[in-house]
Amino acid sequence: MEKQKSSKRARGEMIQAYGFLAPALLVILIFFVLSILFAVYLSFNNVNLIAHNYQWNNFKNYTNLLGDKQLLRALENTGFFALVVVPVQTIIALVIAYILANKGIKGKTVFRLIYFLPTLTSSAALTLIFMFIFNLNGPINGLLESLHLISQPINFINDTNWTLKVIMIMNIWSTVPYFMTIYLASLVDLPDSMYEAAEIDGANVFDKLRYITIPYLRPITTFVLLTGIIGTFQMFDQAYIFSGGTGGPANSTLTVSLLIFQYAFCQNNQMGYAAVIAIILAIIIFVVARIAEKLNGGNGFEKN
């Protein structure tokens, strides 16, 4: 009797558990699993959204990747963007968090609030602000001219040598506070005794950062790297606003996500081919993220 009661109780608890999980599982099934399957189906079709026409074309969309120069340029821009932004924002966030975690720093709460403010602002608003700051008549050109570093204003917004770099600066400035907060939250749990023991052994500030803080934060760094890689490879809105959706000047701000948008919803009207690029982008993000995780020593939990 007791075994029957315990088994009935276990089944009841299991039914309750699945009942609570059902809404989330339904959302995942509809907006994740089915969406992926539909994207794969679209990748084998010539799709006309206006006429609601789906024409099966086997692997033609995939073979078209080989001759797409725009895709190659978008991959170059996106790869360069991620290669610069991800390490820089990670290092700056770690250093600022390490400084603010020091008990000898006064006014830490005010500094944290100031540093976190960019995270509270929408990406579109930040993009417009930076477009004003780096305008021909903006504060940056005014400062450089007043310091006699340049003789005439630099066209940061429409110069192929500068536009993507301005977006990089904006992305780093806006994402560092978020990652800094994550590092700070983890540093709270770091025992002070570890720093005290290091000081007894003669370690300075940089030694403590290198041999104690960085190894301790390795799992958090893995999360920061993966989040940064995913965010940079999916960068869309900033490039869209800067270029007006064209990826200009001369495709210097064309990212893979922006190219997918152009093929799917703009004059190209090639939803099937856009689905192929989206699948390729997902594979690239997965591979790069796994490589970054391995280079950082894994997620840090396997040895625990």
Side-chain angles (χ1 to χ4, degrees), residues 14-212:
M14 184 179 65
I15 293 173
Q16 283 183 331
Y18 281 113
F20 285 117
L21 291 173
L25 293 175
L26 185 62
V27 171
I28 293 174
L29 176 64
I30 296 175
F31 295 100
F32 186 74
V33 177
L34 294 181
S35 297
I36 292 176
L37 295 177
F38 186 61
V40 173
Y41 169 74
L42 290 178
S43 67
F44 292 99
N45 286 267
N46 289 328
V47 182
N48 190 322
L49 291 178
I50 299 176
H52 298 283
N53 183 30
Y54 299 83
Q55 184 180 0
W56 187 265
N57 66 0
N58 296 321
F59 291 93
K60 185 178 179 181
N61 287 331
Y62 289 90
T63 57
N64 289 340
L65 291 172
L66 302 176
D68 193 342
K69 295 182 179 179
Q70 275 193 308
L71 176 60
L72 181 60
R73 182 61 188 274
L75 287 171
E76 290 176 354
N77 292 339
T78 305
F80 177 64
F81 186 87
L83 186 64
V84 174
V85 171
V86 173
V88 172
Q89 69 185 11
T90 302
I91 294 172
I92 295 177
L94 175 60
V95 171
I96 294 177
Y98 177 68
I99 294 172
L100 291 180
N102 193 322
K103 293 184 177 180
I105 302 295
K106 296 182 179 180
K108 291 187 292 184
T109 304
V110 177
F111 282 115
R112 291 176 186 178
L113 176 62
I114 293 173
Y115 285 135
F116 194 72
L117 283 177
T119 307
L120 304 178
T121 309
S122 70
S123 179
L126 286 177
T127 304
L128 294 175
I129 292 172
F130 265 74
M131 290 181 70
F132 165 74
I133 293 175
F134 284 90
N135 197 279
L136 279 172
N137 301 316
I140 297 297
N141 273 313
L143 177 63
L144 294 176
E145 286 182 306
S146 64
L147 296 175
H148 302 288
L149 296 176
I150 57 175
S151 57
Q152 58 183 6
I154 300 175
N155 194 353
F156 290 105
I157 307 301
N158 294 309
D159 190 331
T160 56
N161 296 320
W162 287 103
T163 308
L164 187 62
K165 296 180 178 64
V166 172
I167 299 177
M168 289 179 182
I169 295 172
M170 178 187 64
N171 197 278
I172 293 170
W173 181 77
S174 61
T175 53
V176 161
Y178 171 70
F179 295 130
M180 175 205 69
T181 304
I182 294 175
Y183 275 126
L184 273 174
S186 182
L187 284 173
V188 172
D189 296 328
L190 201 159
D192 294 334
S193 58
M194 298 179 67
Y195 287 136
E196 294 171 357
E199 290 176 357
I200 294 174
D201 292 336
N204 56 32
V205 175
F206 296 102
D207 291 332
K208 289 188 287 185
L209 174 64
R210 178 181 178 183
Y211 296 106
I212 298 177

Side-chain angles (χ1 to χ4, degrees), residues 157-300:
I157 307 301
N158 294 309
D159 190 331
T160 56
N161 296 320
W162 287 103
T163 308
L164 187 62
K165 296 180 178 64
V166 172
I167 299 177
M168 289 179 182
I169 295 172
M170 178 187 64
N171 197 278
I172 293 170
W173 181 77
S174 61
T175 53
V176 161
Y178 171 70
F179 295 130
M180 175 205 69
T181 304
I182 294 175
Y183 275 126
L184 273 174
S186 182
L187 284 173
V188 172
D189 296 328
L190 201 159
D192 294 334
S193 58
M194 298 179 67
Y195 287 136
E196 294 171 357
E199 290 176 357
I200 294 174
D201 292 336
N204 56 32
V205 175
F206 296 102
D207 291 332
K208 289 188 287 185
L209 174 64
R210 178 181 178 183
Y211 296 106
I212 298 177
T213 307
I214 293 179
Y216 178 81
L217 294 175
R218 179 166 290 173
I220 305 302
T221 301
T222 299
F223 169 78
V224 170
L225 288 174
L226 297 183
T227 306
I229 289 171
I230 294 171
T232 51
F233 271 93
Q234 292 180 341
M235 196 270 287
F236 167 77
D237 51 346
Q238 299 158 3
Y240 180 88
I241 296 173
F242 256 83
S243 65
T246 63
N251 288 334
S252 60
T253 60
L254 182 65
T255 63
V256 178
S257 295
L258 181 56
L259 183 63
I260 292 172
F261 173 82
Q262 290 179 349
Y263 276 118
F265 302 108
C266 295
Q267 68 276 7
N268 296 320
N269 193 25
Q270 299 181 44
M271 178 63 77
Y273 186 60
V276 173
I277 301 177
I279 293 171
I280 297 299
L281 177 60
I283 295 173
I284 292 174
I285 292 175
F286 176 79
V287 172
V288 174
R290 289 295 295 169
I291 293 174
E293 183 180 356
K294 292 297 182 182
L295 291 177
N296 193 50
N299 57 28

Side-chain angles (χ1 to χ4, degrees), residues 2-23:
E2 292 181 0
K3 290 184 178 180
Q4 291 180 350
K5 289 182 180 179
S6 61
S7 61
K8 288 181 179 180
R9 188 182 302 111
R11 283 197 298 269
E13 291 176 353
M14 184 179 65
I15 293 173
Q16 283 183 331
Y18 281 113
F20 285 117
L21 291 173

